[in-house]
Amino acid sequence: MKKISILVGSLRQGSFARKIAKNTLAMFPENYEVQIVEIGHLPLYNFDYDDPNMSEFPLPESYTEFRETIKASDGVLFVTPENNRTIPACLKNAVDICSKPNDDVAWTNKPNGIISHSVGKMGGYSSQKNLRLALSYFDMPSLGQPEVFLGNSPNYFDEDGNINAERTVKFIQDYIDRFVKLVESTSA
Ligand SMILES: Cc1cc2nc3c(=O)[nH]c(=O)nc-3n(C[C@H](O)[C@H](O)[C@H](O)COP(=O)(O)O)c2cc1C
């Protein structure tokens, strides 16, 4: 079994990013255990939590759980909208939390894929590029092509939240297939 964690860069109940993420669940092979990992409850990152000299700031249990979940993953898929031309704060917070401590970075060697979306035409271009920039600091194998920018995202879904347009389904499926190949080639 391979384990994939999906991180959604939106806390909104009706989030299109979450709908896209849910649509990808069935696109993975049967021997893949894929879950959306929640990040909205994680306290804002403060390095004092990781500073052994700051005993009045104990490491939050939620950080430990989140880091362990990422470490136990064979790959991480990010599905994110764009907030003010960059990634939403909840997602940046998640990136920061797993970036420490320096000698035990949870992101290390985790293959990653990125799907960005926007209600506008740009498909979260800046958000995706900014996320790539942040992740480039870690030793994370990244998927280069195809880049997935989903513009006008509210138009994709039927009443049940399923993406029906054959072209879009194929495009996302192709991306997941490539992501799976990356995972297979980089994990034991
Ligand atoms: C604070 C904020 C900033 C936003 N900034 C951008 C932006 O820079 N570019 C963009 O395309 N859409 C922007 N939007 C619109 C989002 O694409 C839209 O709200 C989208 O539905 C959010 O994704 P979600 O449905 O997954 O929550 C912004 C929305 C909010 C609330």
Side-chain angles (χ1 to χ4, degrees), residues 70-134:
I70 296 302
K71 282 188 209 168
S73 305
D74 295 292
V76 182
L77 178 66
F78 297 88
V79 184
T80 186
E82 177 172 295
N83 275 9
N84 302 312
R85 295 293 179 251
T86 186
I87 55 174
C90 61
L91 191 54
K92 184 57 165 57
N93 191 41
V95 171
D96 290 350
I97 289 168
C98 281
S99 74
K100 298 291 176 191
N102 285 344
D103 60 354
D104 193 19
V105 175
W107 300 124
T108 304
N109 295 333
K110 302 297 171 193
N112 78 82
I114 304 175
I115 295 175
S116 65
H117 88 90
S118 163
V119 297
K121 287 182 187 165
M122 302 279 282
Y125 177 88
S126 281
S127 175
Q128 179 164 158
K129 292 297 176 186
N130 274 274
L131 180 56
R132 279 178 189 269
L133 180 64

